[in-house]
Structures are given as structure tokens and as C-alpha cells.
Amino acid sequence: MMSSYFPQSDGRSLARSDRLAQRLVFWLLVATLSYQSVLCLVHTHVFAIHTSTVALAEFLIYAGCLAALLRNLKLELMAIASLVAAYLFLLALFRGALDIKGFRDIVIVILFYWLGRTQGDIKMADRFLKVAIAIVLAFGFFELFFLDLYSRVFNVFSYYVNQGGLSGVKNWAEGSSLALNGIRPAGIGRTILPALLGNHRVSSIFLEPVSLGNFAVIVAAWGLAKERSEWRQMLFFLGASAIMITLADSRYGLLTVMALILMRVVFIGRMHALAMLLPALCIAMLLGMALMINGMHADNIIGRLYLTGTTLLGLGVGEILGVKGFNSNFGDMGYAVILTRFGLLFFIVLWAAFWMIKMQDQRGTRFRAYIAVYISLILAISGTSLMALKTAGVLWFLVGCCAWREQTIETKFENKDSDADPDRHASANPNSNAYATNGEVNYAY
């Protein structure tokens, strides 16, 4: 049954080693989605889970990624990893301290992007996302309709307290074992369908609703990147995203997906490259709000953006270059976190590298632009959720699947067959009409 989730080429099976590698990739992606819920289950019923245990679980996932990549390690991957490590060690010398989390965040980007580029493709990504959506919605509706049972199975609040992130904090929702943001305070209330769903925000397999909303935006971006001829798949991913946003009551997800839909309708061709300016525009907006509001703000989204702007205004040269303040608690101020952790120069280089990725076709071009919107907006309202492994791993795997590569998994075996059968040589020729551009196969749906 599981073999049906892995693409085949014209009815011929992939080589056994490649099938095994794709199965490993599939289960690694499932692990990135579910490892936190598995650990929470163990914490609730078996033994207490501490930060070191979570770190060990993530390390095993990274080790699995490396195992899957062993046959596809290339000089460019090693060079990129070496340069990034050298830069982070240089920052550590200036700071007098090593930032382990900074290394971990970049490892996620590099490993999962390369995993998608070398082991994945569009078809595999489609199949995985459909399985992931089924898992997420199954857990989500289980939590929605059987909240008491869900709370007994997953004591989320205790799980996070035991990791030190909520040390000394009491759950303001008396009797609740959900995450602190799993219930909307009475004074704020739910935004989406409050009369039907109350103040409860569904977290599903992610344990907290922010990641569910983030995952919903990634799913919507993937669907909207599809060609118009793939409208059924586009509607499926958009519908699934809408359900998840509703369950999580994700205001960020709602606004971001609306912006993506507008982009899909309006943007064509090279217009998508305008999205590369979004981080600068967001920072300019935050700074402008800080200068214009003059200290008058409420405890709402505008107030949060204002506080982020004032924090950015207060950063010195050392913080902007990443030499100081990397271990400061900036809360939901994502741009402040990125600047102090990696430095402005590194962020610019990384952002430029993201836009220099050569995509297979217009689907990849659109998806990159939509993910640029996702990243730019989330950094304005969230401090660390962008680099949460449970969503970041999937995100960068999908980006890798969209990237152009010299030879895909499928064409590698077609070329072997063409060597033995001269009549097939024309269809395997990168210059023939079977190829869209640069020798890359067009996947038909």
C-alpha cells in the first residue's frame, strides 16, 4: 500500500535503493510533523520529557536526512554547509558564545531543501501533503469533538512546562491541559465562527494552534502554485487549508491566504519577483508604525506590530550585525530575532540565495513568491515559529522539490533504458519536446 505513494516511471519500478530512499524520506517527513505529539504522549503516560529528549529526537531526524542524502552528497552542498558553519563560528568568536539554535535553524533549511531537491519531486510532494493533511485533520477533528479525551491523551501544558519554556507560568484557563494559546481569552474571543466553535483553538498533531495555522498557509501556497489545468488539486489544497485555518482560528493564516489568492489572480510572469522586496517593506512598515503611533497602542495586532517596530528602532549596530543580543527574549518579534541571531548581512545573503534558486517551471516560481509572503509576514508577528521543525522541514522540502536539477530520479532510469533502446533516445534527449526547459521533465496531472 505504501508503495503507491512513491512515483514510478512509465510503469517501471525505480531501483530498489532509490525506492528505499524515498520511503525513508516519506517517514522522515511524517516524523517532522508528529515527533512533538509522540513525545507529548510519552510525557503524559510514560516518563517526563525534557529539552534534552526533544533535542535527541530532532538529532535523529537530522541523522536520518543525512542517511537519505549519502548517495547524493555533492561538492556544492558541502561547500554551502562549510561556509555557513564558518560564518556562525565567526559570530561565536565575536560574541564569546556559541549559538546552538542558530546552527540548528540553518541545518533544517539545508538538509530538507537538499532532501527535496535530490530525493523528491512534484508528484511525491503532492502525495505526501495529502497524507499529511489527512493525519492533521483526523487529529484536529478528534481534538474538536473529543476535547476531554484529547486532553487526557496529550497533556500539552505539562509537556511545555517540563521543557522550561513556561517555567513558573500558570495556565489561565483553569482545568485546561492545552497550550496557553489553545484557548482564546474571553475578552478577545475567537475570530472565525465563534458561535459554533467557542474559544477553543484546535492544535491537532502540532500541539499548539500557531503551527497548525502556519501549516495551513504552506498547504494553500502549494495549491495556489498549481497550473490552472490542475484546478481540482488547487481547490483541494485550498479547501484543506481553509478547514485548518478555521479550526486553529488563525488570523495570520486567514489574512495571508487571502493575500496569496490575490497574488494568484493578479501576478503573472516576472511580477512574482516583486515578492523579494517584502522583508524590506515589512521592516519599513514596522518602523513607520513605531514613529507614528507615539506610544499609544492597545493589546491587539496593531499594538504587537508597534512594539516590534519600537524594538527594531532600539537595536544598535552590534545587534543588527548579529554580534550582540542573540540570546535576548524578543517574544513575537521575528525580525529582531533574525537580525540578532544571524545578522543583517547573512540574512541578505540567504534571502538572495533563496531567490537565485533555479525553479523547474512556473509552479516553482509562484510557490517561491508565496513562501516569500509567508516568511515576510510571519516574521512581523512571530518570533520563532518560522523555524519550528514540524513545519519548517516540510516547507523547505517542498521548495527543494520545485527546484531545477540536472537529472531527476525518473529521468535517470529513463536514460539508462534509452541507452539500451536507440528508438527511445529522442524522448530522453534534453533538447526534445518531451522536456519543458533545461532538460527538466514536465509532470502531467
Side-chain angles (χ1 to χ4, degrees), residues 46-129:
V46 184
F47 58 84
I49 296 294
H50 300 280
T51 305
S52 57
T53 314
V54 178
L56 176 61
E58 290 197 4
F59 174 79
L60 292 176
I61 292 174
Y62 305 146
C65 292
L66 283 174
L69 289 171
L70 280 178
R71 297 177 65 248
N72 293 281
L73 286 178
K74 294 185 178 180
L75 181 60
E76 55 186 305
L77 172 62
M78 304 304 296
I80 292 170
S82 299
L83 287 173
V84 170
Y87 173 80
L88 293 179
F89 278 120
L90 180 63
L91 278 185
L93 289 177
F94 284 111
R95 295 167 175 169
L98 188 65
D99 180 18
I100 298 299
K101 190 178 185 307
F103 277 90
R104 173 258 188 198
D105 291 349
I106 298 301
V107 162
I108 291 174
V109 175
I110 294 176
L111 284 182
F112 282 90
Y113 166 75
W114 212 261
L115 206 62
R117 181 173 173 176
T118 59
Q119 298 294 335
D121 55 35
I122 302 295
K123 288 183 179 180
M124 180 183 179
D126 281 338
R127 290 180 169 92
F128 165 73
L129 273 185

Coordinates of all heavy atoms in Angstrom, one line a residue, residues 46-129:
V46 N 4.2 7.9 30.1 CA 5.3 7.0 30.4 C 6.4 7.7 31.3 O 6.5 7.2 32.5 CB 6.0 6.6 29.1 CG1 7.1 5.5 29.4 CG2 4.9 5.9 28.1
F47 N 7.1 8.7 30.8 CA 8.1 9.3 31.6 C 8.2 10.8 31.2 O 7.8 11.1 30.1 CB 9.4 8.7 31.6 CG 10.0 8.5 30.2 CD1 10.7 9.6 29.6 CD2 9.9 7.4 29.5 CE1 11.3 9.5 28.4 CE2 10.4 7.2 28.2 CZ 11.1 8.3 27.6
A48 N 8.7 11.6 32.1 CA 8.8 13.1 31.8 C 9.8 13.3 30.6 O 10.9 12.8 30.6 CB 9.2 13.8 33.0
I49 N 9.4 14.2 29.7 CA 10.2 14.6 28.6 C 10.8 16.0 28.9 O 10.1 16.9 29.2 CB 9.4 14.7 27.3 CG1 8.9 13.3 26.9 CG2 10.3 15.3 26.2 CD1 9.9 12.3 26.6
H50 N 12.2 16.1 28.8 CA 12.9 17.3 29.0 C 13.4 17.8 27.7 O 13.3 17.2 26.6 CB 14.0 17.1 30.0 CG 13.5 16.6 31.3 ND1 13.0 17.5 32.3 CD2 13.5 15.4 31.9 CE1 12.7 16.8 33.4 NE2 13.0 15.5 33.2
T51 N 14.0 19.0 27.7 CA 14.5 19.6 26.5 C 15.6 18.7 25.8 O 15.6 18.6 24.6 CB 15.2 21.0 26.8 OG1 14.2 21.8 27.5 CG2 15.6 21.7 25.5
S52 N 16.4 18.0 26.6 CA 17.4 17.2 26.0 C 16.8 16.0 25.2 O 17.4 15.6 24.2 CB 18.3 16.6 27.1 OG 17.5 15.9 28.1
T53 N 15.7 15.5 25.6 CA 15.0 14.4 24.9 C 14.5 15.0 23.6 O 14.6 14.3 22.5 CB 13.8 13.9 25.7 OG1 14.2 13.6 27.1 CG2 13.3 12.6 25.1
V54 N 13.9 16.2 23.6 CA 13.4 16.8 22.3 C 14.6 17.0 21.4 O 14.5 16.7 20.2 CB 12.7 18.1 22.6 CG1 12.3 18.8 21.3 CG2 11.5 17.9 23.5
A55 N 15.7 17.5 21.9 CA 16.9 17.7 21.1 C 17.4 16.4 20.5 O 17.8 16.3 19.3 CB 18.0 18.3 21.9
L56 N 17.3 15.3 21.3 CA 17.8 14.0 20.8 C 16.9 13.5 19.6 O 17.3 13.0 18.6 CB 17.8 13.0 21.9 CG 18.1 11.5 21.5 CD1 19.5 11.4 20.9 CD2 17.9 10.6 22.7
A57 N 15.5 13.7 19.8 CA 14.6 13.4 18.7 C 14.9 14.1 17.4 O 14.9 13.5 16.4 CB 13.2 13.6 19.2
E58 N 15.1 15.4 17.6 CA 15.4 16.2 16.4 C 16.8 15.7 15.8 O 16.9 15.7 14.5 CB 15.5 17.7 16.7 CG 14.2 18.3 17.1 CD 14.2 19.8 17.0 OE1 15.2 20.4 16.6 OE2 13.2 20.4 17.3
F59 N 17.7 15.4 16.6 CA 19.0 15.0 16.1 C 18.8 13.7 15.3 O 19.5 13.5 14.2 CB 20.0 14.7 17.2 CG 21.3 14.1 16.8 CD1 22.3 14.9 16.2 CD2 21.5 12.7 17.0 CE1 23.5 14.3 15.8 CE2 22.7 12.1 16.6 CZ 23.7 12.9 16.0
L60 N 18.0 12.8 15.7 CA 17.8 11.5 15.0 C 17.1 11.8 13.6 O 17.4 11.1 12.6 CB 16.9 10.6 15.8 CG 17.5 10.1 17.1 CD1 16.5 9.2 17.9 CD2 18.7 9.2 16.8
I61 N 16.2 12.8 13.6 CA 15.6 13.2 12.3 C 16.7 13.7 11.4 O 16.7 13.4 10.2 CB 14.5 14.2 12.5 CG1 13.3 13.5 13.3 CG2 14.0 14.8 11.2 CD1 12.2 14.5 13.7
Y62 N 17.5 14.6 11.9 CA 18.6 15.2 11.0 C 19.6 14.0 10.6 O 20.0 14.1 9.4 CB 19.4 16.2 11.8 CG 18.6 17.3 12.4 CD1 18.9 17.9 13.6 CD2 17.4 17.8 11.7 CE1 18.1 19.0 14.1 CE2 16.7 18.8 12.2 CZ 17.0 19.4 13.4 OH 16.2 20.4 13.9
A63 N 19.8 13.1 11.4 CA 20.7 12.0 11.1 C 20.0 11.1 10.0 O 20.7 10.7 9.0 CB 21.0 11.1 12.3
G64 N 18.7 11.0 10.1 CA 18.0 10.3 9.0 C 18.1 11.0 7.7 O 18.2 10.4 6.6
C65 N 18.0 12.3 7.7 CA 18.1 13.1 6.5 C 19.5 12.9 5.9 O 19.6 12.7 4.6 CB 17.9 14.6 6.8 SG 16.2 15.0 7.2
L66 N 20.5 12.9 6.7 CA 21.9 12.7 6.2 C 22.0 11.3 5.6 O 22.7 11.1 4.5 CB 22.9 12.9 7.3 CG 23.2 14.3 7.7 CD1 24.2 14.3 8.9 CD2 23.9 15.0 6.5
A67 N 21.4 10.3 6.2 CA 21.5 8.9 5.7 C 20.8 8.9 4.3 O 21.3 8.2 3.4 CB 20.8 8.0 6.7
A68 N 19.7 9.6 4.2 CA 19.0 9.6 2.9 C 19.8 10.3 1.8 O 19.6 10.1 0.6 CB 17.6 10.2 3.0
L69 N 20.6 11.2 2.2 CA 21.4 12.1 1.3 C 22.8 11.5 0.9 O 23.5 12.0 0.1 CB 21.6 13.5 1.8 CG 20.3 14.4 1.9 CD1 20.6 15.6 2.7 CD2 19.9 14.7 0.5
L70 N 23.1 10.4 1.6 CA 24.5 9.9 1.4 C 24.9 9.6 0.0 O 26.0 9.9 -0.4 CB 24.7 8.6 2.2 CG 24.9 8.8 3.7 CD1 25.0 7.4 4.4 CD2 26.2 9.6 4.0
R71 N 23.9 9.1 -0.8 CA 24.2 8.8 -2.2 C 24.1 10.1 -3.1 O 24.4 10.0 -4.3 CB 23.2 7.7 -2.7 CG 23.4 6.4 -2.0 CD 22.3 5.4 -2.5 NE 22.6 5.1 -3.9 CZ 21.8 5.4 -4.9 NH1 20.7 6.1 -4.7 NH2 22.1 5.0 -6.2
N72 N 23.7 11.2 -2.5 CA 23.6 12.4 -3.3 C 24.4 13.6 -2.8 O 24.0 14.7 -3.0 CB 22.1 12.8 -3.4 CG 21.3 11.8 -4.2 OD1 21.3 11.8 -5.4 ND2 20.6 10.9 -3.5
L73 N 25.4 13.3 -1.9 CA 26.2 14.4 -1.4 C 27.1 14.9 -2.5 O 27.8 14.2 -3.2 CB 27.1 13.8 -0.3 CG 26.4 13.6 1.1 CD1 27.4 13.0 2.1 CD2 25.7 14.8 1.6
K74 N 27.0 16.2 -2.7 CA 27.7 16.9 -3.8 C 28.6 18.0 -3.2 O 28.4 18.4 -2.1 CB 26.8 17.4 -4.8 CG 26.0 16.4 -5.6 CD 25.2 17.0 -6.7 CE 24.5 16.0 -7.5 NZ 23.7 16.6 -8.6
L75 N 29.6 18.4 -4.0 CA 30.5 19.4 -3.5 C 29.8 20.7 -3.2 O 30.2 21.3 -2.2 CB 31.6 19.6 -4.6 CG 32.7 20.7 -4.3 CD1 33.5 20.2 -3.1 CD2 33.6 20.9 -5.5
E76 N 28.8 21.1 -3.9 CA 28.1 22.3 -3.6 C 27.4 22.3 -2.3 O 27.4 23.3 -1.6 CB 27.1 22.7 -4.7 CG 26.1 21.6 -5.0 CD 25.2 21.9 -6.2 OE1 24.6 23.0 -6.2 OE2 25.2 21.0 -7.1
L77 N 26.8 21.1 -1.9 CA 26.2 21.0 -0.6 C 27.2 21.2 0.5 O 27.0 21.9 1.5 CB 25.5 19.7 -0.5 CG 24.9 19.3 0.9 CD1 23.9 20.3 1.4 CD2 24.4 17.9 0.9
M78 N 28.4 20.5 0.4 CA 29.4 20.5 1.4 C 30.0 22.0 1.5 O 30.3 22.4 2.5 CB 30.5 19.5 1.0 CG 30.0 18.1 0.9 SD 29.2 17.5 2.4 CE 30.5 17.6 3.6
A79 N 30.1 22.6 0.3 CA 30.7 24.0 0.3 C 29.7 24.9 1.0 O 30.2 25.8 1.8 CB 30.9 24.4 -1.1
I80 N 28.4 24.8 0.7 CA 27.5 25.7 1.4 C 27.4 25.5 2.9 O 27.5 26.4 3.7 CB 26.0 25.5 0.8 CG1 26.0 26.0 -0.7 CG2 25.0 26.2 1.6 CD1 24.7 25.6 -1.4
A81 N 27.4 24.2 3.3 CA 27.4 23.9 4.7 C 28.6 24.4 5.4 O 28.6 24.9 6.5 CB 27.2 22.4 4.9
S82 N 29.8 24.3 4.7 CA 31.1 24.7 5.3 C 31.1 26.2 5.5 O 31.5 26.8 6.5 CB 32.2 24.3 4.5 OG 32.3 22.8 4.4
L83 N 30.6 27.0 4.5 CA 30.6 28.4 4.5 C 29.7 28.9 5.6 O 30.0 29.9 6.4 CB 30.2 29.0 3.2 CG 31.3 28.9 2.1 CD1 30.7 29.4 0.7 CD2 32.5 29.7 2.4
V84 N 28.5 28.3 5.7 CA 27.6 28.7 6.8 C 28.2 28.5 8.2 O 28.1 29.3 9.1 CB 26.2 28.0 6.6 CG1 25.3 28.2 7.8 CG2 25.5 28.5 5.3
A85 N 28.7 27.3 8.3 CA 29.3 26.9 9.6 C 30.5 27.9 10.0 O 30.6 28.3 11.1 CB 29.8 25.5 9.6
A86 N 31.3 28.2 9.0 CA 32.4 29.2 9.2 C 31.9 30.5 9.7 O 32.4 31.1 10.6 CB 33.2 29.3 8.0
Y87 N 30.8 31.0 9.0 CA 30.2 32.3 9.4 C 29.7 32.3 10.8 O 29.9 33.2 11.6 CB 29.1 32.7 8.4 CG 28.4 33.9 8.9 CD1 28.9 35.2 8.6 CD2 27.1 33.8 9.5 CE1 28.2 36.3 9.0 CE2 26.4 34.9 9.9 CZ 27.0 36.2 9.7 OH 26.3 37.3 10.1
L88 N 29.0 31.2 11.2 CA 28.4 31.1 12.5 C 29.5 31.0 13.6 O 29.3 31.5 14.7 CB 27.4 29.9 12.6 CG 26.1 30.1 11.7 CD1 25.3 28.8 11.8 CD2 25.3 31.3 12.1
F89 N 30.5 30.3 13.3 CA 31.7 30.2 14.2 C 32.3 31.5 14.4 O 32.8 31.9 15.5 CB 32.7 29.1 13.8 CG 32.3 27.7 14.1 CD1 32.1 26.8 13.2 CD2 32.1 27.4 15.5 CE1 31.8 25.5 13.5 CE2 31.8 26.1 15.8 CZ 31.6 25.1 14.8
L90 N 32.4 32.3 13.3 CA 33.0 33.7 13.4 C 32.1 34.5 14.3 O 32.7 35.3 15.1 CB 33.1 34.3 12.0 CG 33.6 35.7 11.9 CD1 35.1 35.7 12.4 CD2 33.6 36.2 10.4
L91 N 30.8 34.4 14.1 CA 29.9 35.2 15.0 C 30.1 34.8 16.5 O 30.1 35.6 17.4 CB 28.4 34.9 14.6 CG 27.9 35.8 13.5 CD1 26.4 35.5 13.4 CD2 28.0 37.3 13.8
A92 N 30.3 33.5 16.7 CA 30.6 33.0 18.0 C 31.8 33.6 18.6 O 31.9 33.9 19.8 CB 30.7 31.4 18.0
L93 N 32.9 33.8 17.8 CA 34.1 34.4 18.3 C 33.8 35.8 18.8 O 34.3 36.3 19.8 CB 35.2 34.4 17.2 CG 35.8 33.0 16.9 CD1 36.8 33.1 15.7 CD2 36.5 32.4 18.1
F94 N 33.1 36.6 18.0 CA 32.8 38.0 18.4 C 31.9 38.0 19.6 O 32.0 38.9 20.4 CB 32.1 38.7 17.2 CG 33.0 39.1 16.1 CD1 33.0 38.5 14.9 CD2 34.0 40.1 16.3 CE1 33.8 38.9 13.8 CE2 34.8 40.5 15.3 CZ 34.8 39.9 14.0
R95 N 31.0 37.0 19.7 CA 30.0 37.1 20.8 C 30.7 36.5 22.1 O 30.2 36.8 23.2 CB 28.8 36.2 20.5 CG 28.0 36.7 19.4 CD 27.0 35.7 18.9 NE 26.0 36.1 17.9 CZ 25.2 35.3 17.2 NH1 25.3 34.0 17.4 NH2 24.4 35.8 16.3
G96 N 31.6 35.6 21.9 CA 32.2 34.9 23.1 C 31.3 33.8 23.5 O 31.4 33.2 24.6
A97 N 30.3 33.3 22.7 CA 29.4 32.2 23.0 C 28.9 31.6 21.7 O 28.8 32.3 20.7 CB 28.3 32.7 23.8
L98 N 28.6 30.3 21.8 CA 28.2 29.6 20.6 C 26.6 29.5 20.6 O 26.1 29.1 21.7 CB 28.8 28.2 20.6 CG 28.5 27.4 19.3 CD1 29.2 28.0 18.1 CD2 29.1 25.9 19.5
D99 N 26.0 29.9 19.6 CA 24.5 29.8 19.5 C 24.1 28.5 18.8 O 24.1 28.4 17.6 CB 24.0 31.0 18.7 CG 22.5 31.0 18.6 OD1 21.8 30.3 19.4 OD2 22.0 31.7 17.7
I100 N 23.8 27.5 19.6 CA 23.4 26.2 19.1 C 22.2 26.3 18.2 O 22.0 25.6 17.2 CB 23.3 25.2 20.2 CG1 24.6 25.0 20.9 CG2 22.8 23.8 19.6 CD1 25.7 24.5 20.1
K101 N 21.2 27.1 18.7 CA 19.9 27.2 18.0 C 20.1 27.8 16.6 O 19.4 27.4 15.6 CB 18.9 28.0 18.7 CG 17.5 27.9 18.1 CD 16.5 28.7 18.9 CE 15.1 28.4 18.4 NZ 15.0 28.7 16.9
G102 N 21.1 28.7 16.4 CA 21.3 29.2 15.1 C 21.8 28.2 14.2 O 21.4 28.1 13.0
F103 N 22.7 27.3 14.6 CA 23.1 26.2 13.8 C 22.0 25.3 13.4 O 21.8 24.8 12.3 CB 24.2 25.3 14.5 CG 25.6 25.9 14.4 CD1 26.1 26.8 15.4 CD2 26.4 25.5 13.4 CE1 27.3 27.4 15.3 CE2 27.7 26.1 13.3 CZ 28.2 27.0 14.3
R104 N 21.2 25.0 14.4 CA 20.0 24.1 14.2 C 19.1 24.6 13.2 O 18.6 23.9 12.3 CB 19.3 23.8 15.6 CG 18.0 23.1 15.5 CD 16.8 24.0 15.6 NE 15.6 23.3 15.8 CZ 14.4 23.9 15.6 NH1 14.4 25.2 15.2 NH2 13.3 23.2 15.7
D105 N 18.8 25.9 13.2 CA 17.8 26.5 12.3 C 18.4 26.4 10.9 O 17.6 26.1 9.9 CB 17.6 28.0 12.6 CG 16.8 28.2 13.9 OD1 16.3 27.2 14.4 OD2 16.8 29.3 14.4
I106 N 19.6 26.7 10.7 CA 20.2 26.6 9.3 C 20.3 25.1 8.8 O 20.1 24.9 7.6 CB 21.6 27.3 9.3 CG1 21.4 28.7 9.6 CG2 22.2 27.1 7.9 CD1 20.5 29.5 8.7
V107 N 20.6 24.2 9.7 CA 20.6 22.8 9.4 C 19.3 22.4 8.8 O 19.2 21.6 7.8 CB 21.0 21.9 10.6 CG1 20.6 20.5 10.4 CG2 22.5 22.0 10.9
I108 N 18.2 22.8 9.4 CA 16.8 22.5 8.9 C 16.7 22.9 7.4 O 16.2 22.2 6.5 CB 15.7 23.1 9.7 CG1 15.7 22.5 11.1 CG2 14.4 23.0 9.1 CD1 14.7 23.1 12.1
V109 N 17.1 24.2 7.1 CA 16.9 24.7 5.8 C 17.8 23.9 4.8 O 17.3 23.5 3.7 CB 17.4 26.2 5.8 CG1 17.3 26.7 4.3 CG2 16.5 27.0 6.6
I110 N 19.0 23.7 5.1 CA 19.9 23.0 4.2 C 19.5 21.5 4.0 O 19.4 21.1 2.8 CB 21.4 23.1 4.7 CG1 21.9 24.5 4.7 CG2 22.3 22.2 3.8 CD1 23.2 24.7 5.2
L111 N 19.3 20.8 5.0 CA 19.0 19.4 4.9 C 17.7 19.1 4.2 O 17.7 18.3 3.3 CB 18.9 18.7 6.3 CG 20.3 18.4 7.0 CD1 20.0 17.7 8.3 CD2 21.2 17.6 6.1
F112 N 16.6 19.8 4.6 CA 15.3 19.5 4.0 C 15.2 20.0 2.5 O 14.6 19.4 1.7 CB 14.2 20.0 4.8 CG 14.0 19.1 6.0 CD1 14.6 19.3 7.2 CD2 13.1 18.0 5.9 CE1 14.4 18.5 8.3 CE2 12.9 17.2 7.0 CZ 13.5 17.4 8.2
Y113 N 15.9 21.2 2.3 CA 15.9 21.7 0.9 C 16.6 20.6 0.0 O 16.1 20.3 -1.1 CB 16.6 23.0 0.8 CG 16.9 23.4 -0.6 CD1 15.9 23.9 -1.5 CD2 18.2 23.3 -1.1 CE1 16.3 24.2 -2.8 CE2 18.6 23.7 -2.4 CZ 17.6 24.1 -3.2 OH 17.9 24.4 -4.5
W114 N 17.8 20.2 0.5 CA 18.5 19.3 -0.4 C 17.8 17.9 -0.5 O 17.9 17.2 -1.5 CB 19.9 19.1 0.2 CG 20.9 18.8 -0.9 CD1 21.4 17.6 -1.3 CD2 21.5 19.8 -1.7 NE1 22.3 17.8 -2.3 CE2 22.4 19.1 -2.6 CE3 21.4 21.2 -1.8 CZ2 23.1 19.8 -3.6 CZ3 22.2 21.8 -2.8 CH2 23.0 21.1 -3.6
L115 N 17.1 17.5 0.6 CA 16.3 16.3 0.5 C 15.3 16.4 -0.6 O 15.1 15.4 -1.4 CB 15.7 16.1 1.9 CG 15.3 14.6 2.3 CD1 16.6 13.8 2.4 CD2 14.6 14.6 3.6
G116 N 14.6 17.5 -0.6 CA 13.6 17.7 -1.7 C 14.2 17.8 -3.1 O 13.6 17.2 -4.0
R117 N 15.3 18.4 -3.2 CA 15.9 18.6 -4.5 C 16.5 17.3 -5.0 O 16.5 17.1 -6.3 CB 17.1 19.6 -4.4 CG 17.8 19.9 -5.7 CD 18.8 21.0 -5.6 NE 19.5 21.2 -6.8 CZ 20.4 22.1 -7.0 NH1 20.6 23.0 -6.1 NH2 21.1 22.2 -8.1
T118 N 17.0 16.4 -4.2 CA 17.6 15.2 -4.7 C 16.8 14.0 -4.6 O 16.9 13.0 -5.4 CB 18.9 14.9 -3.9 OG1 18.6 14.8 -2.5 CG2 19.9 16.1 -4.1
Q119 N 15.8 13.9 -3.6 CA 15.0 12.7 -3.4 C 13.6 12.9 -3.7 O 12.8 11.9 -3.8 CB 15.2 12.2 -2.0 CG 16.6 11.8 -1.6 CD 17.1 10.6 -2.3 OE1 16.3 9.8 -2.8 NE2 18.4 10.5 -2.4
G120 N 13.1 14.1 -3.8 CA 11.7 14.4 -4.1 C 11.4 14.9 -5.4 O 12.3 15.2 -6.2
D121 N 10.1 15.0 -5.7 CA 9.6 15.7 -6.9 C 8.2 16.1 -6.7 O 7.7 16.0 -5.6 CB 9.7 14.7 -8.2 CG 9.0 13.4 -7.9 OD1 7.9 13.4 -7.3 OD2 9.4 12.4 -8.4
I122 N 7.6 16.7 -7.7 CA 6.3 17.3 -7.5 C 5.2 16.3 -7.1 O 4.4 16.5 -6.2 CB 5.8 18.1 -8.8 CG1 6.9 19.2 -9.1 CG2 4.5 18.7 -8.6 CD1 7.0 20.3 -8.1
K123 N 5.3 15.1 -7.8 CA 4.3 14.1 -7.5 C 4.4 13.6 -6.1 O 3.4 13.4 -5.4 CB 4.5 12.9 -8.5 CG 4.0 13.3 -9.9 CD 4.2 12.1 -10.8 CE 3.7 12.4 -12.3 NZ 3.8 11.2 -13.2
M124 N 5.7 13.3 -5.7 CA 5.9 12.8 -4.3 C 5.4 13.9 -3.3 O 4.8 13.5 -2.3 CB 7.4 12.5 -4.1 CG 7.7 12.0 -2.7 SD 9.4 11.7 -2.5 CE 9.4 11.1 -0.8
A125 N 5.7 15.1 -3.6 CA 5.3 16.2 -2.7 C 3.7 16.2 -2.6 O 3.2 16.4 -1.5 CB 5.8 17.5 -3.1
D126 N 3.0 16.1 -3.7 CA 1.6 16.1 -3.7 C 1.1 14.9 -2.8 O 0.2 15.1 -2.0 CB 1.0 15.9 -5.1 CG 1.1 17.2 -5.9 OD1 1.1 18.3 -5.3 OD2 1.0 17.1 -7.2
R127 N 1.6 13.8 -3.0 CA 1.2 12.6 -2.3 C 1.4 12.7 -0.8 O 0.6 12.4 0.0 CB 1.8 11.3 -2.8 CG 1.4 11.0 -4.2 CD 2.1 9.7 -4.7 NE 1.5 9.2 -5.9 CZ 1.8 9.5 -7.2 NH1 2.8 10.3 -7.3 NH2 1.2 9.0 -8.2
F128 N 2.6 13.2 -0.5 CA 2.9 13.4 1.0 C 2.0 14.4 1.6 O 1.5 14.2 2.7 CB 4.4 13.8 1.2 CG 4.6 14.4 2.6 CD1 4.6 13.5 3.7 CD2 4.7 15.7 2.8 CE1 4.8 14.0 4.9 CE2 4.8 16.2 4.1 CZ 4.9 15.4 5.2
L129 N 1.8 15.5 0.9 CA 0.9 16.6 1.5 C -0.5 16.0 1.7 O -1.2 16.4 2.7 CB 0.9 17.8 0.6 CG 2.0 18.8 0.9 CD1 1.7 20.1 0.0 CD2 2.1 19.3 2.3

